[in-house]
């Protein structure tokens, strides 16, 4: 049996051109990085076919990524192999195409630091994950300018290998987080106790049940954790509003 992939760090880099992103994606996949451990964001992806299966909403982290959505088929590049592809609206950046676990993190506002931030968009989200504010600000500015952000979750003992790979492929502003991006559950969620504390603390008991039911349903159908998490947050957003403490607890009244 192949050795289990153990991701422990997250390496990020900015790329100026989409062909650079395609190149580094190919190399990451060829070197054994699973597609659900790679995140990409960008505004200006080029396609020769019509984008299908996307729903764009607005008002997405407190002044930021509150709703959004999410997955669908993509088109002609390796980007389409990644998980949870969709469109999100980020303040100060605009609508971006996002794939991988970072999209679900942004959609869910899955930590108190993100949910409590004053609408600083991507900067507040990345800082909440442990990134220095100056680096996060650079990433936001360069995304706004039409460049691309790629993040790969890798084993600690191969971090230097992947840093060199990204740099050699044209990556700039390379940064390493000493952790992977948060997930709501390690696998299937059997009860609220299985939810990560960051997710559980932002959902009322009823919203927790909604999240878990939708998460498990999509995970069972797709085996795609990023897609399941995005669908679960979307279900919560459809049924609940946030209270003054950032908890999704106020049931929406049907028209």
């Amino acid at each position: 049996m192949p050795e289990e992939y153990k991701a422990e760090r997250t390496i990020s880099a900015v790329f100026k051109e989409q062909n650079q992103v395609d190149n580094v994606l190919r190399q990451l996949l060829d070197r054994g990085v699973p597609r659900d451990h790679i995140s990409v964001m960008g505004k200006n992806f080029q396609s020769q076919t019509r984008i299908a299966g996307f729903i764009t909403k607005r008002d997405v982290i407190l002044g930021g990524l509150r709703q959004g959505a999410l997955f669908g088929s993509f088109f002609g590049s390796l980007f389409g192999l990644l998980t949870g592809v969709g469109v999100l609206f980020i303040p100060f950046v605009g609508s971006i195409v996002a794939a991988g676990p970072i999209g679900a993190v942004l959609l869910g506002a899955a930590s108190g630091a993100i949910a409590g931030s004053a609408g600083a968009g991507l900067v507040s989200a990345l800082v909440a994950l442990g990134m220095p504010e100056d680096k996060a600000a650079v990433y936001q500015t360069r995304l706004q300018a039409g460049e691309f952000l790629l993040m790969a979750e890798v084993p600690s003992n191969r971090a230097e290998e992947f840093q060199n790979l990204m740099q050699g492929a044209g990556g700039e502003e390379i940064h390493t987080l000493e952790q992977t991006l948060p997930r709501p559950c390690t696998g299937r969620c059997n009860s609220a106790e299985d939810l990560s504390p960051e997710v559980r603390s932002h959902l009322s008991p009823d919203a927790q049940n909604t999240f878990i039911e939708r998460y498990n349903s999509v995970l069972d159908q797709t085996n795609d954790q990023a897609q399941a998490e995005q669908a679960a947050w979307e279900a919560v957003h459809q049924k609940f509003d946030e209270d003054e403490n950032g908890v999704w607890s106020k049931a929406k009244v049907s028209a």
Side-chain angles (χ1 to χ4, degrees):
M1 293 181 61
E3 183 179 349
E4 182 181 358
Y5 186 85
K6 185 178 181 182
E8 298 159 313
R9 296 182 181 178
T10 304
I11 303 173
S12 306
V14 172
F15 294 88
K16 291 182 178 178
E17 306 291 340
Q18 182 178 334
N19 60 1
Q20 293 175 313
V21 176
D22 284 347
N23 177 42
V24 77
L25 280 176
R26 182 178 292 104
Q27 293 188 62
L28 289 169
L29 294 167
D30 286 348
R31 295 195 190 191
V33 180
R35 65 191 188 101
D36 58 352
H37 287 279
I38 302 172
S39 297
V40 179
M41 291 188 287
K43 294 177 65 172
N44 295 334
F45 284 96
Q46 302 299 313
S47 168
Q48 296 186 354
T49 60
R50 184 172 174 274
I51 299 176
F54 287 82
I55 303 170
T56 303
K57 293 186 178 179
R58 347 173 148 236
D59 187 23
V60 201
I61 297 183
L62 255 170
L65 300 170
R66 267 231 169 126
Q67 297 174 23
L70 303 292
F71 40 88
S73 56
F74 212 66
F75 44 82
S77 81
L78 288 173
F79 189 75
L81 297 177
L82 303 184
T83 62
V85 179
V87 178
L88 296 171
F89 179 83
I90 303 181
F92 313 113
V93 178
S95 295
I96 64 164
V97 177
I102 189 62
V105 169
L106 295 174
L107 177 64
S111 79
I114 299 175
S117 66
L122 185 64
V123 172
S124 60
L126 295 178
V127 168
L129 296 173
M131 188 174 289
E133 186 171 354
D134 57 347
K135 181 67 71 176
V138 169
Y139 285 167
Q140 177 168 288
T141 298
R142 294 188 67 166
L143 268 176
Q144 186 178 27
E147 298 181 13
F148 305 90
L149 177 62
L150 185 145
M151 309 173 80
E153 298 170 314
V154 304
S156 295
N157 62 0
R158 298 183 65 190
E160 184 176 359
E161 170 194 346
F162 290 112
Q163 287 170 347
N164 292 337
L165 185 158
M166 288 191 188
Q167 187 171 17
E172 300 176 7
E173 298 289 347
I174 295 172
H175 182 267
T176 300
L177 286 171
E178 299 298 319
Q179 62 191 42
T180 57
L181 301 177
R183 267 58 165 193
C185 301
T186 55
R188 216 173 179 277
C189 289
N190 296 311
S191 69
E193 285 68 36
D194 291 338
L195 290 170
S196 68
E198 294 84 4
V199 171
R200 188 168 63 245
S201 66
H202 284 85
L203 300 174
S204 68
D206 285 344
Q208 290 171 11
N209 290 336
T210 295
F211 185 101
I212 290 169
E213 181 180 348
R214 183 61 176 153
Y215 178 90
N216 286 339
S217 174
V218 175
L219 188 68
D220 290 345
Q221 292 172 28
T222 66
N223 199 31
D224 183 333
Q225 193 170 25
Q227 185 167 325
E229 184 177 357
Q230 290 181 340
W233 279 115
E234 183 69 7
V236 169
H237 296 159
Q238 288 172 355
K239 290 186 177 182
F240 300 91
D241 287 319
E242 283 180 299
D243 63 21
E244 62 277 6
N245 297 314
V247 177
W248 294 88
S249 62
K250 299 162 67 175
K252 291 183 176 179
V253 178
S254 300

